[in-house]
């Protein structure tokens, strides 16, 4: 009894220590630095200023933010459009088939997303698998321009983030009681009415969860747009990296990074409140 | 707040540096260098010859090295910054002067690499490896005469066929060179002109890539790319139709040099190490094994024909003179670079 308590404390203590040392303390430093001025000789000057946060409201940073949010939102919508039918098929598949199908969704996920993004180049590039196949079969004479297009960026983002959409949707769809749909049909509802009035409202927590789980990482995944989109647009992630690595403006980079984290935290809070109200039990 | 910050950063960095700091003056050398930039065999041979053990720590960006030296300041005897960071660290008094008279093999360094604006008279730096950033052209996709100078990149047939580095200094530098200015230009009017010129180039740019630009030119996604010579060398090896052009308007050169940061302890060991690396035989071995160009005039004797006669690795003298080394810029100029870079990228 005592021993198990000791181990529990040890485990929890280690986890907390880890989080504090490697996440909390760096964040507190970042938060502190974000209110200072950049310095030539000392990286930061010990002068308190609001300038960094004010600069975040400037038109150029606003454009960057808008581009990032738009890209993430489109990714989330595309994932929803692809993920919902997929999750529905999965949830209605024979019980024996469901675990292996879920496994197939999960397996690619075990490989690092950067490696999978590089792997997509092999498919999409001008002399890649898709173009070679199309030319060999005589369907095309000139290779399609697939790489370095918005299309490639969406392929990359949707491919990487799709499991985050499918899993909560699957859980939500599994929890829909078939009796409710039967009752609807008995009362004369069409398939579409059943879907719109019963299935969608009941799976709303899953839809919100999936959308959040795709939208938030998509905001930060600037490397997908760099590798597959040819880095032709600047996103928030690029902006933060450039502030730290190119322009040596550590306070500005910190301010942008803190703001982005806070915005994400706020969205997560909204999500938490929304699911608590509309029956978060589905998600558990 | 500041004390707390400094204390926290210091204690964190101390943990990492404590490991690499050895005991016994001048029996060890603490080398802080780019990753994959110093083969183990060379270090082993150096230890065999001198009895000095080398502790090596690596970085993969100048900024990471700079921040660590700035925040910790000790634990390293020898660092290898690029030219602009030599300029920056020298101006900020972060380096110890080097007496090149104490380095007998310094005479082998070609004059074109000494006494540069980022470090006049080599008071603080000794060149290690260098390279260029110029134009790789796939002549099987584009007639060679289409692109003979940087100004040709604006031609309509290059629409969507161009690769530029994902780096503000190199891209804005290209604009400056095309207009006949220095890549270290500080005049806001000239920078503005370069920006206006580059804005017109945006429709031609298919991709910005500094990580692996050879890929886009090898697969035929782009016909022309501004890239460093190491990438062009590999691309040319795989496809002989890919040529490397040193444009008549000029191009940028990079040079990594040995420097001693303030806080270096094993000064004698550092001198002996630099002298060892500067021996033509060792320099030639290094150039061959890591694939960059050596500034050492003695290497040609030891290099295989295909390397020393390859203009991509060792440009002919009449081309090399048009190259210019990147130097650090002041804060206000950097602000302009930032503003223009964001605008080039956003629209």
């Amino acid at each position: 009894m005592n021993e198990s308590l000791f181990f529990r404390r040890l485990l929890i203590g280690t986890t907390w220590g880890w989080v504090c040392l490697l996440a909390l303390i760096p964040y507190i430093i970042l938060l502190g630095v974000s209110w200072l001025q950049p310095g030539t000789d000392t990286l930061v000057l010990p002068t308190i200023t609001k300038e960094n946060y004010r600069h975040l409201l400037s038109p150029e940073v606003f454009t960057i933010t808008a581009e990032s949010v738009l890209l993430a939102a489109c990714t989330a919508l595309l994932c929803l459009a692809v993920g919902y039918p997929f999750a529905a098929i999965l949830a209605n598949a024979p019980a024996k088939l469901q675990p292996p199908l879920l496994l197939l969704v999960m397996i690619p996920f075990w490989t690092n997303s950067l490696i999978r993004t590089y792997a997509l180049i092999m498919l999409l590039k001008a002399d890649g698998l898709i173009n070679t196949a199309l030319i060999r079969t005589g369907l095309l004479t000139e290779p399609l321009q697939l790489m370095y297009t918005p299309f490639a960026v969406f392929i990359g983002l949707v491919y990487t983030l799709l499991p985050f959409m499918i899993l909560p949707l699957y859980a939500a769809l599994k929890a829909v009681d078939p009796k409710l749909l039967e009752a609807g049909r008995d009362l004369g509802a069409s398939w579409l009415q059943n879907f719109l009035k019963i299935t969608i409202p009941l799976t709303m927590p899953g839809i919100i969860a999936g959308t959040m789980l795709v939208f938030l990482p998509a905001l930060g995944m600037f490397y997908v747009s760099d590798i597959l989109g040819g880095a032709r647009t600047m996103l928030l992630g690029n902006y933060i990296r450039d502030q730290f690595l190119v322009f040596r403006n550590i306070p500005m980079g910190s301010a942008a990074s803190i703001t982005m984290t806070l915005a994400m935290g706020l969205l997560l809070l909204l999500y938490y409140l929304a699911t608590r109200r509309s029956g978060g039990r589905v998600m558990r | 707040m500041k004390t707390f910050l400094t204390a926290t950063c210091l204690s964190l960095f101390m943990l990492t540096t404590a490991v690499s700091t050895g005991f016994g003056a001048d029996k060890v050398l603490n080398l802080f260098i780019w990753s994959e930039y110093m083969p183990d065999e060379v270090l082993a041979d150096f230890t065999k010859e001198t009895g000095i053990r080398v502790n090596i720590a690596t970085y993969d960006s100048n900024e990471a090295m700079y921040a660590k030296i700035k925040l910790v300041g000790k634990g390293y005897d020898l660092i290898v910054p690029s030219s602009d960071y030599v300029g920056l660290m020298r101006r900020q008094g972060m380096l110890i002067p080097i007496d090149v008279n104490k380095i007998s093999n310094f005479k082998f360094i070609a004059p074109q690499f000494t006494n540069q604006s980022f470090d006049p008279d080599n008071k603080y730096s000794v060149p290690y490896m260098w390279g260029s950033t110029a134009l790789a052209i796939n002549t099987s996709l584009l007639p060679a005469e289409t692109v003979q100078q940087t100004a040709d990149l604006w031609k309509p047939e290059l629409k969507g066929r161009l690769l530029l580095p994902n780096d503000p200094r190199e891209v804005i530098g290209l604009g400056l060179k095309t207009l006949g200015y220095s890549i270290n230009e500080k005049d806001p009017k000239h920078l503005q002109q370069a920006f206006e010129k580059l804005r017109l180039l945006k429709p031609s740019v298919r991709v910005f890539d500094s990580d692996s630009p050879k890929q886009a030119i090898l697969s035929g996604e782009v016909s022309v790319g501004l890239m460093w010579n190491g990438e062009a060398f590999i691309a040319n090896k795989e496809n002989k139709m890919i040529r490397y052009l040193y444009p008549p308007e000029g191009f940028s050169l990079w040079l990594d040099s040995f420097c001693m940061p303030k806080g270096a302890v094993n000064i004698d060991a550092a001198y002996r190490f630099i002298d060892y690396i500067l021996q033509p035989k060792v320099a030639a071995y290094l150039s061959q094994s890591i694939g960059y160009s050596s500034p050492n005039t003695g290497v040609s004797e030891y290099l295989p024909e295909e390397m020393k006669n390859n203009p991509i690795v060792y440009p002919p003298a009449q081309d090399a003179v048009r190259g210019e080394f990147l130097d650090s810029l002041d804060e206000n100029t950097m602000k302009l670079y930032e503003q223009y870079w964001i605008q080039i990228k956003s629209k």
Side-chain angles (χ1 to χ4, degrees):
Chain A
M1 189 64 190
N2 263 341
E3 221 165 69
S4 88
L5 190 70
F6 169 75
F7 274 114
R8 214 165 73 194
R9 281 195 178 145
L10 185 76
L11 268 177
I12 295 171
T14 318
T15 316
W16 270 106
W18 187 268
V19 169
C20 285
L21 190 71
L22 298 174
L24 196 63
I25 293 178
Y27 248 99
I28 291 172
I29 297 176
L30 219 55
L31 187 66
V33 169
S34 72
W35 293 97
L36 301 179
Q37 262 180 2
T40 335
D41 282 355
T42 48
L43 291 178
V44 288
L45 292 174
T47 329
I48 306 270
T49 170
K50 283 185 289 194
E51 206 33 60
N52 301 317
Y53 287 96
R54 190 174 298 153
H55 186 68
L56 286 176
L57 298 170
S58 69
E60 60 254 44
V61 184
F62 180 79
T63 321
I64 295 169
T65 314
E67 296 246 21
S68 307
V69 170
L70 188 70
L71 185 74
C74 288
T75 307
L77 277 179
L78 271 172
C79 277
L80 186 63
V82 178
Y84 205 97
F86 189 94
I89 294 168
L90 202 61
N92 291 314
K96 254 193 185 164
L97 266 179
Q98 288 187 18
L101 284 175
L102 268 180
L103 195 68
L104 287 179
V105 175
M106 295 299 299
I107 285 176
F109 208 54
W110 296 342
T111 311
N112 181 295
S113 65
L114 193 60
I115 295 171
R116 282 184 295 153
T117 308
Y118 272 108
L120 279 175
I121 298 178
M122 295 295 143
L123 286 176
L124 298 172
K125 64 182 182 175
D127 59 350
L129 287 175
I130 293 176
N131 274 315
T132 316
L134 287 174
I135 290 171
R136 286 258 172 91
T137 51
L139 286 168
L140 283 179
T141 46
E142 283 277 296
L144 285 175
Q145 285 208 348
L146 298 172
M147 271 299 281
Y148 312 123
T149 57
F151 169 75
V153 178
F154 282 122
I155 293 268
L157 284 171
V158 170
Y159 172 59
T160 310
L161 296 169
L162 196 57
F164 287 113
M165 181 61 88
I166 291 176
L167 296 177
L169 282 178
Y170 169 76
L173 280 158
K174 277 294 273 186
V176 175
D177 191 344
K179 282 187 196 125
L180 293 172
L181 295 169
E182 266 171 44
R185 266 199 300 276
D186 285 349
L187 295 168
S190 70
W191 175 87
L192 189 67
Q193 280 172 320
N194 251 350
F195 178 70
L196 291 177
K197 298 231 158 117
I198 301 176
T199 316
I200 293 233
L202 280 178
T203 52
M204 200 40 104
I207 294 174
I208 296 175
T211 310
M212 285 291 185
L213 289 176
V214 171
F215 180 78
L216 295 179
L219 266 185
M221 287 178 112
F222 64 93
Y223 59 89
V224 176
S225 143
D226 276 7
I227 295 172
L228 298 174
R232 296 183 82 258
T233 42
M234 188 176 271
L235 302 176
L236 269 176
N238 301 104
Y239 179 75
I240 294 172
R241 183 197 53 191
D242 282 355
Q243 290 302 322
F244 279 101
L245 291 182
V246 183
F247 301 112
R248 283 195 301 281
N249 193 340
I250 294 177
M252 189 64 233
S254 308
S257 152
I258 290 282
T259 311
M260 193 168 152
T261 313
L262 283 180
M264 286 185 172
L266 194 70
L267 281 175
L268 278 177
L269 185 73
L270 285 177
Y271 157 65
Y272 171 74
L273 294 175
T275 46
R276 211 177 45 171
R277 227 187 10 204
S278 63
R281 72 195 151 76
V282 183
M283 288 314 302
R284 288 268 149 188
Chain B
M1 191 61 193
K2 198 195 165 204
T3 345
F4 166 69
L5 280 183
T6 324
T8 328
C9 294
L10 270 180
S11 52
L12 279 175
F13 277 117
M14 283 310 224
L15 279 173
T16 50
T17 45
V19 186
S20 55
T21 317
F23 295 100
D26 285 349
K27 275 291 150 206
V28 326
L29 172 72
N30 297 307
L31 173 67
F32 195 29
I33 191 167
W34 293 86
S35 46
E36 293 177 50
Y37 215 30
M38 184 62 72
D40 291 340
E41 309 88 78
V42 175
L43 295 181
D45 284 348
F46 173 71
T47 307
K48 216 195 281 169
E49 198 178 299
T50 60
I52 298 168
R53 194 166 49 84
V54 183
N55 294 319
I56 188 165
T58 60
Y59 52 85
D60 45 26
S61 72
N62 276 307
E63 178 58 32
M65 176 273 302
Y66 172 81
K68 211 159 180 179
I69 297 293
K70 191 110 233 179
L71 290 167
V72 186
K74 54 182 171 186
Y76 302 112
D77 304 313
L78 210 50
I79 53 176
V80 191
S82 304
S83 52
D84 49 339
Y85 273 76
V86 173
L88 179 75
M89 295 174 93
R90 175 179 67 85
R91 289 183 187 109
Q92 295 187 357
M94 293 168 73
L95 303 175
I96 297 178
I98 293 179
D99 181 4
V100 292
N101 297 321
K102 281 205 214 162
I103 302 167
S104 62
N105 292 321
F106 187 79
K107 60 175 185 282
F108 288 113
I109 301 290
Q112 69 193 91
F113 300 104
T114 56
N115 194 18
Q116 293 292 329
S117 68
F118 59 85
D119 183 20
D121 295 327
N122 285 76
K123 283 193 179 120
Y124 296 91
S125 67
V126 177
Y128 175 49
M129 290 282 168
W130 69 284
S132 58
T133 310
L135 294 170
I137 303 157
N138 188 341
T139 51
S140 58
L141 296 173
L142 205 70
E145 58 274 14
T146 312
V147 179
Q148 292 177 332
Q149 51 183 356
T150 36
D152 291 338
L153 299 178
W154 277 260
K155 283 187 177 172
E157 49 271 51
L158 277 164
K159 199 161 188 180
R161 305 296 298 158
L162 178 66
L163 175 144
L164 292 182
N166 197 8
D167 177 295
R169 285 300 305 270
E170 294 288 3
V171 171
I172 295 169
L174 175 81
L176 289 167
K177 274 289 172 205
T178 312
L179 295 169
Y181 302 129
S182 158
I183 48 168
N184 298 314
E185 188 62 57
K186 294 183 178 74
D187 186 336
K189 270 198 219 106
H190 295 171
L191 283 168
Q192 166 89 25
Q193 287 172 8
F195 164 66
E196 297 295 347
K197 181 96 181 135
L198 285 166
R199 220 157 45 164
L200 304 174
L201 190 61
K202 184 75 191 279
S204 298
V205 183
R206 183 93 191 278
V207 45
F208 291 93
D209 187 359
S210 308
D211 293 329
S212 184
K214 59 177 178 290
Q215 198 172 258
I217 198 157
L218 275 172
S219 65
E221 300 286 351
V222 298
S223 335
V224 182
L226 183 68
M227 61 184 76
W228 43 281
N229 61 335
E231 289 283 304
F233 176 71
I234 302 170
N236 170 268
K237 245 205 233 165
E238 285 183 35
N239 180 353
K240 288 288 167 218
M241 295 300 276
I242 295 172
R243 311 248 175 87
Y244 193 59
L245 172 78
Y246 297 100
E249 294 101 325
F251 53 94
S252 78
L253 288 173
W254 55 265
L255 176 68
D256 294 337
S257 303
F258 287 114
C259 293
M260 294 182 205
K262 283 248 165 84
V265 194
N266 306 303
I267 309 283
D268 284 337
Y271 272 109
R272 287 190 75 176
F273 187 75
I274 298 175
D275 208 22
Y276 181 84
I277 296 297
L278 259 45
Q279 297 171 79
K281 205 176 169 178
V282 179
Y285 177 80
L286 282 164
S287 175
Q288 230 182 313
S289 71
I290 58 179
Y292 295 102
S293 322
S294 170
N296 197 306
T297 50
V299 292
S300 50
E301 214 181 307
Y302 300 93
L303 280 179
E305 287 295 316
E306 78 263 18
M307 198 153 176
K308 74 177 169 200
N309 293 331
N310 189 327
I312 301 178
V313 191
Y314 289 99
Q318 75 266 22
D319 286 330
V321 289
R322 295 195 304 276
E324 190 183 358
F325 291 100
L326 282 177
D327 196 355
S328 69
L329 299 170
D330 60 283
E331 245 177 298
N332 291 334
T333 314
M334 272 315 249
K335 277 260 180 304
L336 282 177
Y337 267 75
E338 179 187 349
Q339 189 191 323
Y340 290 146
W341 179 240
I342 291 177
Q343 288 185 43
I344 290 169
K345 276 303 206 66
S346 311
K347 265 290 147 270

